[in-house]
Amino acid sequence: MSRKDAINSLYLKRPDTTNPAQKSADRVRTGAISAMGASLHEMSENAKQAAHLQKQLAEGEAVISIDPKKVDHSRIADRINIDVDAAFDELVASMSEHGQQVPILVRPSLENPGRYQVAYGRRRLRAAEMLGLPVKAIVRSLTDSELVVAQGRENLDRKDLSFIEKAFFARNLEDDGCDRSTIIAALVTDKADLSRYIAVARRIPEKLVQRIGPAPKAGRARWLLLAERLLVDGAISIAESVLADHSLQKQDSDARFNAVLRSLDDKPKKAARPTAVWKAPNGKRAARIEKRDGNTALVFEDKIVPEFAQFVSDKLDELFEQFQEKDSGGE
C-alpha cells in the first residue's frame, strides 16, 4: 500500500456498496436499527483509524494534515519574536499562493490525547493558523530530549540561528531544566561556547534583545562587547532611548544593533587638568593653562580680567616674535 493510500485509509474508507447482498441489507434497515448500525460502524471505523495511526507512529513517520489549533507550541522559544518580520510576511504570502511546501515536525501530546506538540516549524504553524489552513506535519514519537535536539538541529540545517538566538535558546533550555549535554547536542557546540552563550544571555536584558532582533551579522565578539558596555551605569537607558526612534524600528535588526553599540561607544573623555595658574595683581585667579590630548589651552576668567583675552589675542604675533628672539639667543 502506498503512503497516499495509507493516509486515505485513515479518513476516506467507506462501506463496500458494490456487493448486491450489501445493497439488499442496506435497504431493509430502517429507523432505530439503521441508526444503531451506523453508530456501531462509526465506532468501528474510529477504532481502526486510531489503531492504524498508532501503527504508523510505531513504524516511523506519517505526513498528515492537522488543525493548527490542535498543535501546542514548544515551551522553549528558539527564535526572537520581533514586531516587524519581513521574512515571516513572505512566508505567509508564499503559503497563501503555493501552499505549504515543507511539513512541520510534531509529536503526539502525552498529556492530551488527540493533540500534538511542535518540535520545529513554529513559523509555518503560525502562518497556517493565520491563513485558516490545516498544517502538514510529520508525526514522530519523541522523548523530551529528542524533541529539544530535533528543534535545534532543524534550525541549524534550514536557517542558522544568530549568535544571540542561540544564546537565549540555550539559556531558556537550561532554565527549563534541560541538561547541558542535551543543549550541546541541540546546538552542535561545545562546553566552552555553551558557557559563553548562556553568560551573554544572562547579561543582556531580554526585552532589549527583542527590540534589537536577531542581528544575524553581529557575531559573538560584538555581542560580548555590547554585554560589557551595558554593565555601565545608565547604559541600558541609553540603549532603550536609541531604540525608541521610530525611524530606526523600520530598519533591519543589524542596523538597530549597530545603532545601540555606537551609542555606547563614546568613551568618557579625561577632564582637562590645569598645569599652571596665573593670578591678577589683586590676587584672584585670572587664567589657567590646560593640557589635554596634545593641546595646550590658555583660559581666562572673564569676570576677573574682562577683555584681557582679546588683548592677548591681538598681541600674539608680537609675543611669538619675542619668543623666537628668546629661543634664538637674541641674535
Side-chain angles (χ1 to χ4, degrees):
M1 181 183 291
S2 67
R3 171 174 288 188
K4 180 179 179 181
D5 293 336
I7 296 173
N8 288 339
S9 70
L10 291 176
Y11 304 102
L12 304 178
K13 188 172 182 180
R14 296 288 185 271
D16 185 1
T17 58
T18 61
N19 189 331
Q22 180 67 42
K23 288 182 179 180
S24 178
D26 289 341
R27 283 195 297 269
V28 299
R29 289 177 178 167
T30 59
I33 297 177
S34 179
M36 183 180 293
S39 178
L40 291 172
H41 177 76
E42 183 180 359
M43 291 172 62
S44 175
E45 286 301 304
N46 287 341
K48 288 180 181 179
Q49 291 175 15
H52 188 83
L53 180 57
Q54 289 299 325
K55 182 180 179 181
Q56 285 184 309
L57 292 175
E59 291 177 351
E61 301 175 349
V63 179
I64 62 175
S65 293
I66 305 175
D67 182 349
K69 295 180 181 178
K70 292 185 178 181
V71 183
D72 298 320
H73 288 269
S74 172
R75 298 194 310 271
I76 310 301
D78 48 33
R79 296 285 181 188
I80 296 174
N81 293 321
I82 54 179
D83 295 334
V84 180
D85 191 344
F88 178 72
D89 294 339
E90 291 175 2
L91 174 63
V92 173
S94 175
M95 286 181 59
S96 176
E97 183 176 356
H98 306 292
Q100 181 185 346
Q101 302 298 312
V102 180
I104 67 173
L105 177 65
V106 300
R107 72 171 179 179
S109 175
L110 302 179
E111 295 82 10
N112 303 302
R115 295 190 64 80
Y116 302 87
Q117 183 180 7
V118 65
Y120 61 68
R122 291 184 301 112
R123 291 161 66 85
R124 278 163 278 163
L125 174 62
R126 185 156 60 97
E129 189 170 5
M130 287 180 60
L131 294 169
L133 300 174
V135 64
K136 297 177 183 178
I138 296 172
V139 181
R140 186 184 300 166
S141 295
L142 299 169
T143 65
D144 289 344
S145 294
E146 289 171 338
L147 181 75
V148 168
V149 172
Q151 183 178 353
R153 291 293 179 85
E154 197 268 351
N155 280 313
L156 294 174
D157 290 342
R158 290 184 57 77
K159 183 181 178 182
D160 198 9
L161 298 172
S162 69
F163 174 83
I164 199 63
E165 285 179 312
K166 290 178 182 178
F168 274 88
F169 185 33
R171 190 208 68 175
N172 293 341
L173 287 172
E174 185 173 69
D175 289 348
D176 196 58
C178 192
D179 61 85
R180 290 209 168 189
S181 60
T182 301
I183 303 174
I184 288 172
L187 291 175
V188 193
T189 187
D190 55 36
K191 291 181 179 179
D193 274 344
L194 179 59
S195 295
R196 295 188 188 98
Y197 286 139
I198 294 176
V200 168
R202 297 201 184 283
R203 289 168 61 183
I204 302 179
E206 186 170 357
K207 289 184 178 180
L208 197 65
V209 172
Q210 288 176 340
R211 296 184 68 182
I212 292 174
K217 295 180 182 178
R220 180 180 67 186
R222 300 181 74 207
W223 276 106
L224 287 170
L225 179 60
L226 179 60
E228 181 181 348
R229 290 180 178 174
L230 286 172
L231 295 176
V232 178
D233 290 342
I236 293 178
S237 296
I238 294 174
E240 289 176 342
S241 64
V242 170
L243 292 170
D245 185 349
H246 293 294
S247 62
L248 184 62
Q249 287 299 319
K250 295 179 181 179
Q251 301 183 42
D252 62 30
S253 60
D254 283 301
R256 292 193 291 272
F257 175 90
N258 291 333
V260 171
L261 191 61
R262 281 196 303 269
S263 71
L264 304 176
D265 190 32
D266 295 330
K267 298 179 181 179
K269 296 180 180 180
K270 295 181 180 179
R273 296 181 179 180
T275 58
V277 174
W278 173 72
K279 293 182 179 180
N282 59 9
K284 294 183 179 180
R285 188 168 65 177
R288 65 183 183 275
I289 299 173
E290 296 178 349
K291 289 187 176 181
R292 180 177 60 190
D293 299 331
N295 298 311
T296 301
L298 178 58
V299 183
F300 292 95
E301 299 287 347
D302 289 337
K303 292 182 179 181
I304 307 301
V305 283
E307 300 182 1
F308 187 53
Q310 185 62 49
F311 175 80
V312 172
S313 177
D314 294 340
K315 295 285 186 177
L316 286 177
D317 290 340
E318 182 180 341
L319 291 171
F320 187 70
E321 289 178 1
Q322 293 178 9
F323 170 75
Q324 285 185 316
E325 289 177 1
K326 177 183 176 183
D327 194 48
S328 62
E331 295 179 1

